[in-house]
Amino acid sequence: MSIMRTSEQAVRPVPPRAVRIDLGKWPGYVAAAWGVLFAVPSFVWATGSTFGARTTVSPSLVKLAHDGVPWFLAVLVATGLLKLFGALVGIGLTRPPGTRISRPLVFCGGVAAGLLTWHGGLFVVHGVLVEAGAVSVEPEPAGLTGWYLWLWGPWFVVGGLAFAGATALYVGRCGDRRRLGRHGVWGTLGALVLSVATTVAGIG
């Protein structure tokens, strides 16, 4: 006995696979993109080029890059690699929790959130105080205040908030949120203590 099918049944179009976008992971992707984009200037300036730096970065730092001072170029390369590592952390925070690297990921996410938000906030607050006339600066770096207020400060804050959001969402997807969340808190507090100490010492 054969079963006859109509032409509509025989040629039935396959519905396209729905594209699912997990909005809960977008802070991790933003953090990863932030790390990659921010690493580019470090590597460019490490070649001795000062493209984009002459009017946006302290003249003393621009001179070090232009003169090719070895230790400063090494610092630029190291910071570029750290930013790329941050991008890897951001990608890692979009993955399902429960792996062996969950705790280091959350710790590193907390460190990045604390460092970036702190330094970005300092740039913004200092810029606002200078613009309001409450704080005076030397004539040479005075022209850079706007760049740190409107570009570098917000850029650091955006990166910090992206890492904070990605870390919080990653912890939220974990079964043992309390224990894993402690690593993020320790990372953030450690970064803040280090940042405050270096700022008070005049090297941060």
Side-chain angles (χ1 to χ4, degrees), residues 46-109:
T47 65
S49 172
T50 56
F51 177 78
R54 291 187 178 277
T55 58
T56 63
V57 180
S58 172
S60 59
L61 299 181
V62 173
K63 187 176 187 305
L64 289 174
H66 182 266
D67 294 344
V69 179
W71 69 264
F72 185 69
L73 298 185
V75 168
L76 289 174
V77 172
T79 55
L81 293 175
L82 282 176
K83 293 165 188 176
L84 291 181
F85 176 75
L88 293 178
V89 171
I91 292 295
L93 291 172
T94 66
R95 309 303 298 169
T99 62
R100 294 181 179 179
I101 62 172
S102 289
R103 293 180 181 180
L105 272 177
V106 172
F107 181 82
C108 291

Side-chain angles (χ1 to χ4, degrees), residues 102-190:
S102 289
R103 293 180 181 180
L105 272 177
V106 172
F107 181 82
C108 291
V111 170
L115 283 175
L116 298 175
T117 305
W118 168 264
H119 284 287
L122 281 183
F123 289 153
V124 172
V125 170
H126 182 263
V128 170
L129 292 177
V130 171
E131 293 293 331
V135 175
S136 60
V137 294
E138 297 296 328
E140 183 179 0
L144 298 173
T145 300
W147 288 106
Y148 281 88
L149 172 60
W150 302 109
L151 174 63
W152 298 120
W155 177 256
F156 275 83
V157 172
V158 166
L161 294 179
F163 278 102
T167 304
L169 291 171
Y170 183 88
V171 172
R173 296 194 299 270
C174 178
D176 192 358
R177 302 177 184 178
R178 185 174 182 179
R179 180 176 296 180
L180 189 59
R182 290 175 183 171
H183 290 77
V185 173
W186 292 338
T188 301
L189 292 179

